[in-house]
Amino acid sequence: MITYILESLAFQLVFLLAYDLFLKKETFFQWNRAYLLGTFALSIILPWVKVEALTTPMPDGLQTTTVFLTQLNGVVLGPGAEEKSILQQISWPYLVLGLGSLLATIWFAYKLVQIKRLRHKGAVEHYREFTKVTVPQSTSAFSFFRNIFMGEEIQKDKEDNILAHELVHVKQWHSLDLLFFELARIVFWFNPLVYIYQNRVAELHEFIADERAVKHNKADHFEMLLSQAFHTQNISFVNQFFNRSLIKKRIVMLQKKKSKTVWQLKYALLLPLVLGMLVYTSCESEKSAPSDNTAEEPIEEIVIVGYEAGKGQEGEVPFGVIDEVPVFPGCEDAEDKRACFQEKIQRHIQKNFRYPEAAEQQGIQGRVSSIFVIDTDGNIVDIKMRGPHDLLENETGRILDKLPKMQPGKHEGKAVKVPFSIPITFKLDDSDNAKTSTQEDGMSVPFATIDEVPIFPGCENAMDKKQCFNEKIVEHIKKHFRYPEEAQQMGIQGRVSILFTIDTNGEISSIKKRGPSEILENEAVRIIERLPKMQPGKHKGETVNVPFAIPITFRLKNQPEGTTVNGSKDYLLVDGMKVKKQGKTHFEGVVTDKESMGISGVVISVEGKEAGVMSNFNGVFSIAVEEGDIVKFQYEGLPDKHIEVSQY
């Protein structure tokens, strides 16, 4: 919002400077009128316009940043948060804007009442083209729409000239121009340029009326302007005949020779001005994208789709954007090879899975995050795993090793590597039957790269549906939140990481949670489950699953911000090491908090370089580095951490 206001102010200033420097002294009054009205409207609209053809290409360093999931801004809640009033939920800048607009509206209404009172106490005469209102004990003269107000004490020999002048205002609907700026003053009451625009338009109205009304009696008109003693009403949206500050300018313009037609070419100056503004607004959206990625980066190991610029690291191209996906044996004739591939992968896991007997006996369960690549020969390579125990990791590796050779994927006519990530959850039930679960079927596309984002009820007509979605999510959480009494009594607080998906029906599915206590986890899940059904997201014309993540922080009133469950100051812990992969050095590891809980969504970057990654759901990360690099770890609400690679 602040950015929009500043851009609008800057555009108005440029337009006004161009007017005062090049156009103000010309006698093209109607053209100037159109310029002022049009440029003010453009200054309001242009900040929202983004022209794809004018956007600045993304720097090369950012073309290798994968976007997996969207992490929404974290919400911090505490006991009593649900009791906040509507005013408490509105930030103070919006309260100030609203209060200013309210006062401006009251002042506008008061001026309308003034006009109504003048009309009520005056003598009203109706004519075909206007209505004359004679105001007793007054020397005022002004018009408002069809009404021409004439002071009773104005000399009779002056009335005809004044009526002719004011009739021009009536016929050309000048009151509409002034009323437009009066309404703009209500919305943009804090903007001084709106008042300058209104002043410039009021000047033009008088110049136009003088030009039309005064043909052969200019001397009499000058004499009347200079000799008349008058008092005007303080109403900014009426056309006043006697206006002391304008008299000199009106006389000068009446004596001025008409501008040469060739000088109308000055209005062509508007074209490069508008084009420059369009370039600025279009390029700005691309420049701000990297910073936005701090809230829209990978935090879950599944769904390798939605990729900036369609390129992967070291020649890899993600499944979501590849031209020809790898073909799993049996999918050669399938109409939808993507869906067939995913179905075959899951069947393969279910068919080859067996729960390790030692893990069953020890009661070991949990999720194993696995990553592998289908190389240019169709082989499964670079299998990596991270899980709660070696027994489960070994079983996952055994299953993936048994994947058959496939036809390699192709992109832009060339065979390419295709990375995949599959979380396999090992879970023991009451009957000791082992189960596995993988991510839901269907293509998933991240919020950051999707063509048409899911639409939250109430955001259908929003200019920026992504921003509206984020605002509605936070509003929903605050509205439905209640701090569990049991957690308060036990002094439990902390951060709950929530992952969920908006599926192809617009419904909330696949909710996953991780937090310091099951009590807080259940409350977070209860809130997310109450999210309304939405219009599903679309990508390349098809409805798709859209994954999200949001950290919800539960904080007790007696605990300071940034502390852990036990009240001690929270901070980032990094357990990492250097590894060699395909001739390049990577810094890999896991990020946790003071309670040794993996933190998802930590922004990890190398100082002095533009590329960056984020930790997944378990806090796992991997970033390409060089000897001597400084790796920076950032997470909202926790102090930054810097690590020099040479120390490892």
Side-chain angles (χ1 to χ4, degrees):
M1 183 65 177
I2 299 300
T3 302
Y4 168 76
I5 291 173
L6 292 176
E7 288 179 352
S8 182
L9 279 167
F11 294 167
Q12 289 172 17
L13 183 60
V14 171
F15 285 136
L16 281 173
L17 285 174
Y19 175 79
D20 284 352
L21 290 174
F22 301 105
L23 305 174
K24 185 178 179 180
K25 295 182 180 179
E26 303 298 338
T27 60
F28 307 123
F29 302 134
Q30 295 290 6
W31 283 63
N32 283 352
R33 179 188 179 191
Y35 175 90
L36 289 174
L37 292 171
T39 55
F40 184 83
L42 278 174
S43 70
I44 297 174
I45 297 170
L46 282 176
W48 298 108
V49 178
K50 314 292 181 184
V51 181
E52 290 296 329
L54 301 177
T55 56
T56 300
M58 182 173 289
D60 293 337
L62 291 180
Q63 291 182 355
T64 60
T65 301
T66 310
V67 179
F68 294 76
L69 289 182
T70 294
Q71 183 184 21
L72 304 176
N73 293 330
V75 180
V76 180
L77 303 170
E82 67 278 15
E83 300 172 3
K84 287 186 177 180
S85 65
I86 295 177
L87 288 178
Q88 289 175 318
Q89 295 177 18
I90 302 174
S91 59
W92 69 265
Y94 290 101
L95 284 175
V96 172
L97 289 176
L99 181 61
S101 295
L102 177 62
L103 294 175
T105 302
I106 294 172
W107 181 240
F108 173 64
Y110 171 73
K111 289 186 283 189
L112 287 176
V113 171
Q114 278 187 294
I115 294 176
K116 185 176 181 180
R117 285 177 178 173
L118 286 174
R119 196 177 192 280
H120 181 71
K121 70 178 183 180
V124 180
E125 301 174 64
H126 295 282
Y127 297 91
R128 185 172 62 86
E129 294 181 320
F130 66 96
T131 297
K132 180 182 177 183
V133 180
T134 303
V135 183
Q137 299 179 345
S138 174
T139 57
S140 299
F142 64 90
S143 61
F144 182 62
F145 287 100
R146 285 179 52 86
N147 300 291
I148 298 178
F149 293 79
M150 299 284 290
E152 186 180 48
E153 298 178 4
I154 293 177
Q155 298 177 21
K156 297 301 179 183
D157 59 339
K158 312 287 187 185
E159 279 194 4
D160 289 343
N161 284 339
I162 295 174
L163 283 173
H165 178 96
E166 296 300 326
L167 193 57
V168 176
H169 291 313
V170 172
K171 290 181 177 179
Q172 296 205 6
W173 295 93
H174 288 171
S175 295
L176 276 179
D177 298 357
L178 297 179
L179 194 61
F180 168 73
F181 285 107
E182 195 69 21
L183 294 175
R185 283 170 57 170
I186 292 175
V187 180
F188 304 103
W189 58 269
F190 51 86
N191 179 4
L193 299 181
V194 177
Y195 303 86
I196 296 175
Y197 259 102
Q198 189 179 41
N199 178 266
R200 296 290 188 272
V201 169
E203 286 181 1
L204 282 174
H205 289 170
E206 299 308 315
F207 299 157
I208 292 170
D210 285 340
E211 182 185 42
R212 296 292 180 91
V214 182
K215 297 294 185 182
H216 307 292
N217 56 345
K218 287 187 178 181
D220 293 341
H221 199 72
F222 295 159
E223 181 182 351
M224 178 178 60
L225 290 175
L226 293 172
S227 64
Q228 181 69 36
F230 56 87
H231 301 282
T232 61
Q233 298 292 326
N234 184 25
I235 301 175
S236 56
F237 54 87
V238 297
N239 296 107
Q240 303 172 6
F241 183 81
F242 297 120
N243 189 322
R244 188 177 283 111
S245 63
L246 277 177
I247 287 178
K248 180 180 178 181
K249 294 178 181 179
R250 289 169 62 183
I251 292 174
V252 170
M253 280 299 181
L254 278 170
Q255 293 179 316
K256 190 177 180 65
K257 291 183 179 180
K258 285 189 173 296
S259 301
K260 296 180 181 179
T261 305
V262 69
W263 294 123
Q264 289 180 351
L265 292 174
K266 288 183 178 182
Y267 294 98
L269 177 67
L270 183 62
L271 295 177
L273 286 179
V274 173
L275 181 61
M277 292 172 185
L278 283 173
V279 170
Y280 172 77
T281 57
S282 298
C283 291
E284 180 195 33
S285 65
E286 294 299 316
K287 290 175 183 176
S288 62
S291 61
D292 287 344
N293 283 346
T294 60
E296 296 182 349
E297 285 285 350
I299 59 172
E300 168 66 302
E301 61 275 10
I302 190 66
V303 192
I304 307 184
V305 296
Y307 204 77
E308 290 292 351
K311 294 183 180 180
Q313 296 184 0
E314 300 176 359
E316 297 175 358
V317 178
F319 191 70
V321 296
I322 195 170
D323 295 338
E324 299 178 34
V325 301
V327 180
F328 200 102
C331 293
E332 292 82 0
D333 300 322
E335 187 172 342
D336 188 343
K337 291 182 172 59
R338 293 177 191 266
C340 183
F341 180 94
Q342 293 174 339
E343 181 181 347
K344 291 287 188 180
I345 285 282
Q346 294 198 18
R347 287 184 181 178
H348 171 86
I349 294 172
Q350 292 168 355
K351 177 182 177 181
N352 292 279
F353 165 78
R354 64 171 182 265
Y355 210 112
E357 189 173 331
E360 288 188 73
Q361 293 172 353
Q362 298 177 49
I364 299 172
Q365 60 179 353
R367 181 177 59 251
V368 176
S369 298
S370 61
I371 301 173
F372 64 92
V373 174
I374 300 176
D375 66 13
T376 53
D377 295 321
N379 296 317
I380 308 300
V381 297
D382 295 336
I383 299 176
K384 299 183 181 69
M385 292 160 295
R386 189 176 190 90
H389 197 278
D390 289 343
L391 291 172
L392 304 187
E393 289 182 357
N394 292 339
E395 172 61 14
T396 301
R398 186 190 65 80
I399 296 172
L400 296 180
D401 281 333
K402 293 177 71 69
L403 281 168
K405 185 174 181 177
M406 310 177 197
Q407 294 181 25
K410 292 185 178 180
H411 194 71
E412 298 178 354
K414 298 179 181 179
V416 293
K417 301 175 183 178
V418 185
F420 288 90
S421 179
I422 298 179
I424 301 179
T425 300
F426 293 74
K427 184 177 180 181
L428 295 169
D429 61 11
D430 294 337
S431 60
D432 293 331
N433 290 324
K435 297 181 180 180
T436 67
S437 65
T438 58
Q439 177 138 349
E440 65 277 1
D441 292 334
M443 175 183 175
S444 295
V445 178
F447 195 66
T449 58
I450 195 170
D451 294 339
E452 299 178 34
V453 302
I455 299 176
F456 200 103
C459 294
E460 291 82 1
N461 300 318
M463 186 79 70
D464 188 339
K465 292 183 172 58
K466 291 188 179 183
Q467 180 181 350
C468 182
F469 180 95
N470 289 335
E471 291 174 354
K472 290 289 187 180
I473 284 283
V474 174
E475 181 182 318
H476 169 89
I477 292 173
K478 291 182 176 179
K479 178 181 178 181
H480 294 282
F481 165 78
R482 64 171 182 264
Y483 208 115
E485 289 187 16
E486 185 180 358
Q488 294 184 56
Q489 294 170 359
M490 299 171 63
I492 299 174
Q493 64 169 359
R495 180 181 58 254
V496 178
S497 297
I498 290 286
L499 279 81
F500 64 94
T501 298
I502 299 176
D503 64 20
T504 54
N505 296 317
E507 297 176 343
I508 307 302
S509 63
S510 303
I511 300 176
K512 302 175 183 178
K513 79 280 188 186
R514 168 175 283 177
S517 169
E518 188 176 352
I519 300 173
L520 301 186
E521 289 179 348
N522 292 340
E523 171 61 15
V525 170
R526 184 190 66 82
I527 295 171
I528 299 301
E529 286 178 337
R530 293 175 68 91
L531 283 168
K533 184 174 181 178
M534 310 177 197
Q535 294 183 29
K538 291 185 178 180
H539 194 68
K540 297 181 180 179
E542 297 181 3
T543 56
V544 292
N545 298 326
V546 185
F548 291 90
I550 181 168
I552 301 177
T553 300
F554 293 76
R555 180 175 295 121
L556 296 171
K557 290 182 178 179
N558 61 345
Q559 294 292 347
E561 183 176 351
T563 59
T564 60
V565 178
N566 60 26
S568 59
K569 198 69 176 178
D570 199 2
Y571 52 83
L572 296 174
L573 287 169
V574 178
D575 179 15
M577 61 182 297
K578 289 187 296 185
V579 296
K580 288 284 187 179
K581 295 195 303 186
Q582 298 181 350
K584 292 189 176 181
T585 303
H586 285 71
F587 187 55
E588 297 184 346
V590 60
V591 189
T592 62
D593 59 15
K594 192 175 185 299
E595 302 291 336
S596 298
M597 181 181 294
I599 304 178
S600 61
V602 178
V603 181
I604 303 149
S605 59
V606 177
E607 289 192 349
K609 298 180 181 179
E610 294 178 317
V613 299
M614 294 188 75
S615 59
N616 67 9
F617 186 68
N618 297 313
V620 178
F621 68 90
S622 176
I623 185 169
V625 295
E626 296 177 1
E627 196 69 24
D629 279 347
I630 303 295
V631 182
K632 185 177 182 180
F633 297 78
Q634 296 172 284
Y635 189 78
E636 185 177 355
L638 297 181
D640 293 351
K641 189 175 186 68
H642 297 78
I643 292 178
E644 186 175 349
V645 174
S646 58
Q647 296 176 355
Y648 284 76

